[in-house]
C-alpha cells in the first residue's frame, strides 16, 4: 500500500494489520533469507504493550563472514560497481518507489518494533527515506574524476572509485530511515554493503533488502546481518575484509568503532554519535509562541529519542517565565502519550523498558541535583503497561548538572537562563557534543554571530529541525565526524586513484 493510502487507514485497520503480522527477522545473505549458522535467535516485544512481537536471527562471526564474503564477491564481480551509472540509478529509483509503495508494511514494522507513532512514520520516516534513496540515486552520475595540469610529458588523471565492502551499523530510533541514510550513499557510490540493524529494531532492514532485490539489485550487494552489538556488530567492525564502517549510534560505541578499525585492518570509519543540542531563545525572538512550539517539538518529537533533540533550552532572563509558561501549555496540548497505532497519537512509547528506566533515572538525578520539575517526570497513568515516559521539563538547571551535560535520549528538557549573547554562546558550547543548535532572534547581527560561534554541525535560525537532503548532517566535537545526507556523503564512500601516464617525446 502506498503512502497516500496508508495515511487513510484508521486505528482499527492498523490493529487488524498488526494482528496479522508475522515479522521476518532472518538475515539476508547473498540474496537469500538465512538463519544464523548456530540457529540462535532473540525475541522482540512490542514496547508499547509488552506483548511478544516476533523473533530475529542472532548473528555472530560466522554469519558475518558469510555476508562479507558475499558482499566481496558481489563487489569483485562488477555486477553492481560495474553497472553503468544510469543502470545503478534505475535500481535505486525503483527501490525508492518500492519503499513508498510498501509504506503500510514499513510503518507497521517500525511502530511495533520501537513504539513510535504511526503518524510520524507516515509524515517523516518513510517520506524522508524515499527522498534519501532518490537523492543518492541522482548523485551517481555526478561523481567526477579530474585531469590535473601537468607538464607536457604526462597525462595525469584522478579516478574516483568505490571503497569496496561497507559495513553499516545503525540505531533503533528511526529504523528504516537510519538504514536508508547509510545504505543509499554506500550503494550509490558502487560499494556493496553489510547492514547491521540495532537489535531493538531488526525488521525494517529485512524488508529493505528484499525490496532492493525486487528493484533489480544483484544478490550480495546489500546483505543484512541481525544481532547484538557486542556480537554481530563487533564482528563487522573488526572484520578484516570490510573497507569502511559507516556508524550511527552512541558516543561510547562510536569510539569502539575507531578502536576496532585500529585493531583490525585500518578500515575507514565515519561516526554519527549523540548530541545535547541547545536552543538559544533571545529576548528579541520574533515570536515567543512559535519559539516555544518548536522547542516543544524539538524535544518531544519521536519521544525525545532523537540525536539532535533540543534538550538544552537556553532562555534569556527577560523572557524566561513567559517562555516556560508557553512551553508547558503547548506541550500539554500537543504531546499526550497514547496508542502508537492511532493516527492521532503524537507520542508513543520509548523503545524498551531499559530505555524507560534510563530516562526515569535521569529524572531522579535532575530532582536530586536541585532542578525544578515543572512538567511530567514519570510514567503516564493511562499507559502504564508500556515503556512510556511523560513529556518532562526541568527549570533552574545549571551547567554542571548531569541533566545538562549527558544525553538522556528521551522526552526530558532542561531550561538554563542566561543574561546576554556571550553567555548564551558559552553555555551552548559547554558540552562535549556539537551536533545541532537552534537560535531564536530577530536581530540579523546576533543571528549571524551566534550561528558562527556556536560549535555545532547544524544550526537553525528561527526554526528547528528544518532541512532537506542537501543539508550536511553531522557533528562537531564528540558528536562525530563524517556527514549524512548531502553530496559530500557519497564522496566519503569513494577513494581517489592517481593515474600518471608518461608521454615521452
Ligand atoms: P548504540 O550505540 O547502543 O547502538 C547503535 C548500533 O551499534 C546498534 O546497531 C548496536 O547493535 C551497535 N553496537 C552496539 N555495541 C556495539 C559494538 N560493541 N560493536 C559494534 N556495534 C555495536 O546506540 P542506540 O542506543 O542504538 O542509538 C542511540 C544513539 O544513537 C544515541 O546516542 C543517538 O544520539 C545516536 N544517534 C545519532 C544520530 C546522528 O545522526 N548523529 C542519529 C540517530 C541516533
Amino acid at each position: 500500500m502506498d503512502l497516500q493510502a496508508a495515511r487513510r487507514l484508521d486505528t482499527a485497520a492498523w490493529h487488524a494489520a498488526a494482528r496479522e503480522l508475522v515479522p521476518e527477522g532472518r538475515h539476508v545473505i547473498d540474496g537469500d533469507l538465512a538463519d544464523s549458522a548456530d540457529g540462535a535467535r532473540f525475541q522482540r516485544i512490542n514496547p508499547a504493550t509488552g506483548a511478544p512481537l516476533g523473533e530475529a536471527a542472532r548473528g555472530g562471526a560466522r554469519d558475518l563472514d558469510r555476508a562479507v564474503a558475499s558482499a566481496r564477491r558481489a563487489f569483485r564481480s562488477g555486477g553492481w560497481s560495474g553497472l553503468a551509472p544510469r543502470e545503478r540509478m534505475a535500481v535505486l529509483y525503483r527501490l525508492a518507489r518500492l519503499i513508498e509503495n510498501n509504506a503500510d508494511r514499513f510503518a507497521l514494522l517500525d511502530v511495533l518494533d520501537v513504539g513510535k507513532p504511526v503518524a510520524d512514520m507516515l509524515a517523516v520516516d518513510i517520506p524522508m527515506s524515499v527522498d534519501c534513496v532518490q537523492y543518492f540515486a541522482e548523485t551517481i552520475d555526478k561523481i567526477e574524476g579530474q585531469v590535473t595540469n601537468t607538464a607536457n610529458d604526462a597525462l595525469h588523471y584522478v579516478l574516483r572509485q568505490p571503497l569496496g565492502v561497507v559495513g553499516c551499523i545503525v540505531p533503533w530510533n528511526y529504523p528504516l530511515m537510519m538504514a536508508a541514510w547509510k545504505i543509499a550513499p554506500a550503494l550509490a557510490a558502487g560499494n556493496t554493503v553489510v547492514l547491521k540493524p540495532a537489535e531493538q529494531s531488526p525488521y525494517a532492514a529485512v524488508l529493505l533488502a528484499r525490496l532492493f532485490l525486487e528493484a533489480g539489485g544483484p544478490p550480495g550487494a546489500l546483505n543484512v546481518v541481525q544481532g547484538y552489538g557486542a556480537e554481530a556488530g563487533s564482528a563487522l567492525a573488526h572484520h578484516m575484509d570490510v573497507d569502511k564502517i559507516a556508524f550511527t549510534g552512541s558516543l561510547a560505541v562510536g569510539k569502539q568503532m575507531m578502536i576496532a578499525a585500529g585493531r583490525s585492518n585500518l578500515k575507514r570509519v565515519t561516526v554519527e554519535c549523540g548530541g545535547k543540542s541547545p536552543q538559544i531563545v533571545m529576548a528579541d525572538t520574533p515570536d515567543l509562541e512559535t519559539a516555544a512550539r518548536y522547542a516543544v517539538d524539538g524535544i518531544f518529537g519521536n519521544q525525545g529519542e532523537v540525536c539532535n533533540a533540543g534538550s538544552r533550552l537556553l532562555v534569556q532572563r527577560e523572557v524566561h517565565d513567559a517562555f516556560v509558561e508557553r512551553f508547558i501549555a503547548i506541550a500539554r496540548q500537543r504531546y499526550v502519550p497514547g496508542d502508537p497505532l492511532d493516527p492521532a497519537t503524537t507520542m508513543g512509547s520509548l523503545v524498551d523498558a531499559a530505555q524507560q528506566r534510563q530516562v526515569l533515572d535521569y529524572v531522579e538525578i535532575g530532582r536530586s541535583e536541585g532542578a525544578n520539575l515543572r512538567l511530567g517526570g514519570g510514567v503516564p497513568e493511562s499507559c502504564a503497561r508500556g515503556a512510556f515516559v511523560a513529556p518532562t521539563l526541568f527549570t533552574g538547571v545549571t551547567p554542571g548538572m548531569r541533566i545538562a551535560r549527558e544525553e538522556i535520549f528521551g522526552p526530558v528538557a532542561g531550561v538554563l537562563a542566561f543574561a546576554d549573547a556571550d553567555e548564551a554562546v558559552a553555555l551552548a558550547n559547554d558540552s562535549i557534543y556539537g551536533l545541532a543548535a537552534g537560535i531564536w532572534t530577530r536581530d540579523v547581527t546576533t543571528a549571524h554571530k551566534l550561528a558562527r560561534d556556536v560549535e555545532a554541525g547544524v544550526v537553525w535560525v528561527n526554526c528547528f529541525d528544518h532541512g532537506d537532503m542537501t543539508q550536511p548532517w553531522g557533528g562537531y566535537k564528540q558528536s562525530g565526524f563524517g556527514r549524512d545526507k548531502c553530496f559530500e556523503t557519497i564522496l566519503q564512500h569513494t577513494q581517489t586513484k592517481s593515474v600518471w601516464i608518461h608521454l615521452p617525446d
Side-chain angles (χ1 to χ4, degrees), residues 146-284:
Q146 205 180 10
V147 179
T148 69
N149 206 359
T150 48
N152 273 350
D153 69 349
L155 170 64
H156 175 230
Y157 60 89
V158 181
L159 291 175
R160 246 185 207 283
Q161 297 187 313
L163 297 168
V165 176
V166 175
C168 301
I169 301 181
V170 294
W172 43 261
N173 58 340
Y174 295 89
L176 168 65
M177 193 173 92
M178 288 297 105
W181 280 21
K182 291 301 185 207
I183 66 150
L187 289 168
N191 302 283
T192 55
V193 169
V194 178
L195 168 65
K196 211 297 279 172
E199 51 271 43
Q200 296 87 342
S201 55
Y203 300 124
V206 183
L207 181 54
L208 187 61
R210 296 176 84 182
L211 294 179
F212 175 73
L213 293 164
E214 192 179 326
L222 173 57
N223 303 275
V224 174
V225 176
Q226 308 286 3
Y228 292 108
E231 298 170 0
S234 180
L236 183 56
H238 285 89
H239 205 285
M240 292 301 287
D241 202 26
V242 169
D243 299 291
K244 170 176 174 161
I245 290 290
F247 170 82
T248 296
S250 62
L251 172 56
V253 179
K255 289 181 178 177
Q256 291 299 317
M257 297 301 102
M258 298 182 71
I259 294 170
R263 287 211 175 120
S264 55
N265 61 344
L266 212 64
K267 55 177 68 66
R268 287 147 182 78
V269 176
T270 47
V271 289
E272 298 292 344
C273 300
K276 193 74 190 171
S277 300
Q279 288 232 46
I280 302 173
V281 183
M282 302 297 297
D284 70 350

Side-chain angles (χ1 to χ4, degrees), residues 250-329:
S250 62
L251 172 56
V253 179
K255 289 181 178 177
Q256 291 299 317
M257 297 301 102
M258 298 182 71
I259 294 170
R263 287 211 175 120
S264 55
N265 61 344
L266 212 64
K267 55 177 68 66
R268 287 147 182 78
V269 176
T270 47
V271 289
E272 298 292 344
C273 300
K276 193 74 190 171
S277 300
Q279 288 232 46
I280 302 173
V281 183
M282 302 297 297
D284 70 350
T285 179
D287 175 15
L288 202 58
E289 184 81 14
T290 305
R293 182 167 56 75
Y294 271 89
V296 165
D297 290 347
I299 184 62
F300 299 142
N302 209 52
Q303 299 68 244
E305 295 168 322
V306 184
C307 50
N308 63 286
S311 52
R312 289 188 297 150
L313 304 173
L314 314 183
V315 184
Q316 199 160 15
R317 284 191 207 290
E318 293 92 310
V319 292
H320 175 278
D321 292 354
F323 174 86
V324 169
E325 192 183 304
R326 283 175 171 76
F327 181 99
I328 291 172

